Amino acid sequence: MTADASAPLTLRPATPDDVPRLRHWDTQPHVVAASPNDDWGWETELLRTPPWREQLIAELGGRPIGFLQIIDPAQEDSHYWGAVSAGLRAIDIWIGETQDLGKGYGRRMMRQALERCFAAEDVTAVLIDPLAANRRAQRFYERLGFRFLEQRRFGDDDCFVYRLSRRQWLASPARHASDHAPYHQEETSMNAHLYFEIQAEMPDRARHFYSELFGWTFTRVEGLPVAYWRIDAKGMQGGLLQRPTATPPDGCGTNAFTCSFEVDDIHASTERIAALGGRVALPVFAVPDTCWQGYFLDPEGNTFGLFQVDEQAR
């Protein structure tokens, strides 16, 4: 464990003295990629202290490492979130320097922020809005217990809105994980990520069936070679797509959902599948800016998928 990893992480109010540091962080590639169209106007905004906002600097053993903002979206004066109910909070967060990424600091910042939000008894849920193309950020929030709500445009940004209720946070394993557990170990133990897909001859009919049966919500995803909807299945994530081939007739064995499992190296996994007697059903392909995906048959002829998250996939 490094000295930084064992150091206490604290949140303090941002002040005008932080402007040069925040302006520097604004130029870092990972910050630009996460918020390409934002100008925070630090020189002006850090002089304001509206009652509906906290702007905070995260410090690790006294060393500034990141920024965090908590707002009441119903009271925020630009009405960024539109008409929303009372009792919500919305969070923006980033790590300042590239060398501080991937060390679990963002997780520690978010846990403190969420405890800060839910300390107010009238707060029922927290919202966040990562870019639709930023699958890494989405996975980060999913590991904390956030659930996908909808795809939505905020100005020039195409975003996914996620929501975490008070009940979900209190029940989340992330709330009780050790601050000093290695980040990669927590990620593996907490979430072996699984994604299911439903193929449908008539997608509208399938959407109606599952929304009426389970209350699932469907959001159309553009830019894919087939008609595709992301599914929020009450805590699970899935997709619905136009069936690319004929529907198997009755009596041909199980016709079921396809489950896809996240792997670190999809090409090495493909070789391993072949060595174990499996076969390729659909070769690995890119889901642009999201992941590499492939479909396979196990030795018994069952179809399953694998995906490797990669924001540079083309």
Side-chain angles (χ1 to χ4, degrees):
M1 183 184 299
T2 66
D4 260 2
S6 61
L9 188 146
T10 57
L11 303 178
R12 64 160 175 84
T15 73
D17 290 340
D18 293 305
V19 169
R21 176 178 293 108
L22 290 165
R23 282 295 184 193
H24 168 68
W25 287 350
D26 283 348
T27 66
Q28 301 308 296
H30 65 281
V31 177
V32 174
S35 302
N37 299 305
D38 290 342
D39 181 354
W40 284 75
W42 299 116
E43 291 83 357
T44 301
E45 289 302 315
L46 291 182
L47 294 173
R48 302 175 63 216
T49 57
W52 44 262
R53 182 181 72 189
E54 290 185 279
Q55 292 186 320
L56 305 164
I57 296 292
E59 293 188 337
L60 192 69
R63 178 174 69 89
I65 63 165
F67 174 81
L68 197 148
Q69 175 175 267
I70 303 172
I71 68 166
D72 180 339
Q75 300 295 322
E76 189 265 334
D77 56 9
S78 76
H79 307 293
Y80 173 86
W81 286 90
V84 296
S85 61
L88 299 175
R89 295 293 183 269
I91 294 177
D92 293 287
I93 178 176
W94 60 84
I95 298 293
E97 303 289 350
T98 303
Q99 63 265 27
D100 287 325
L101 296 173
K103 297 181 178 179
Y105 302 155
R107 172 199 64 191
R108 294 171 64 183
M109 290 169 60
M110 276 297 294
R111 284 166 56 183
Q112 288 198 31
L114 290 168
E115 291 293 337
R116 205 177 186 107
C117 291
F118 289 119
E121 294 184 358
D122 62 329
V123 173
T124 59
V126 173
L127 303 172
I128 44 89
D129 61 335
L131 293 176
N134 193 346
R135 183 60 187 142
R136 186 181 300 276
Q138 295 161 27
R139 291 170 63 233
F140 170 75
Y141 295 122
E142 289 165 2
R143 288 194 294 270
L144 287 164
F146 281 87
R147 296 183 180 179
F148 175 77
L149 188 63
E150 63 177 345
Q151 186 170 0
R152 181 175 168 186
R153 290 199 71 85
F154 293 93
D156 294 328
D157 294 331
D158 185 19
C159 299
F160 282 175
V161 175
Y162 280 79
R163 182 180 186 274
L164 178 69
S165 71
R166 176 184 293 273
R167 177 184 59 80
Q168 290 162 347
W169 174 238
L170 293 177
S172 173
R175 183 173 183 245
H176 304 287
S178 168
D179 271 350
H180 305 308
Y183 185 58
H184 66 88
Q185 289 185 8
E186 179 180 293
E187 179 176 347
T188 301
S189 63
M190 285 176 54
N191 189 14
H193 201 86
L194 180 147
Y195 186 87
F196 72 90
E197 288 180 323
I198 305 170
Q199 296 188 8
E201 181 181 357
M202 299 178 63
D204 288 343
R205 180 174 64 187
R207 289 165 55 204
H208 175 76
F209 177 84
Y210 287 107
S211 62
E212 292 296 318
L213 180 62
F214 296 130
W216 292 355
T217 57
F218 295 78
T219 303
R220 181 69 182 261
V221 179
E222 304 297 341
L224 297 181
V226 296
Y228 199 95
W229 291 260
R230 181 184 287 264
I231 304 172
D232 179 7
K234 306 298 184 181
M236 298 183 293
Q237 296 295 322
L240 170 71
L241 68 149
Q242 180 79 49
R243 189 187 298 280
T245 60
T247 301
D250 293 344
C252 287
T254 300
N255 183 27
F257 296 2
T258 299
C259 292
S260 291
F261 302 89
E262 183 177 359
V263 295
D264 293 328
D265 186 334
I266 195 167
H267 299 292
S269 297
T270 298
E271 294 176 359
R272 182 66 173 158
I273 287 168
L276 293 170
R279 292 175 288 152
V280 173
L282 182 63
V284 173
F285 61 93
V287 179
D289 306 316
T290 303
C291 69
W292 298 97
Q293 175 80 44
Y295 293 91
F296 306 88
L297 299 171
D298 70 13
E300 307 305 316
N302 299 303
T303 302
F304 66 97
L306 299 180
F307 66 96
Q308 175 189 333
V309 174
D310 182 355
E311 295 166 16
Q312 306 303 315
R314 298 287 189 277

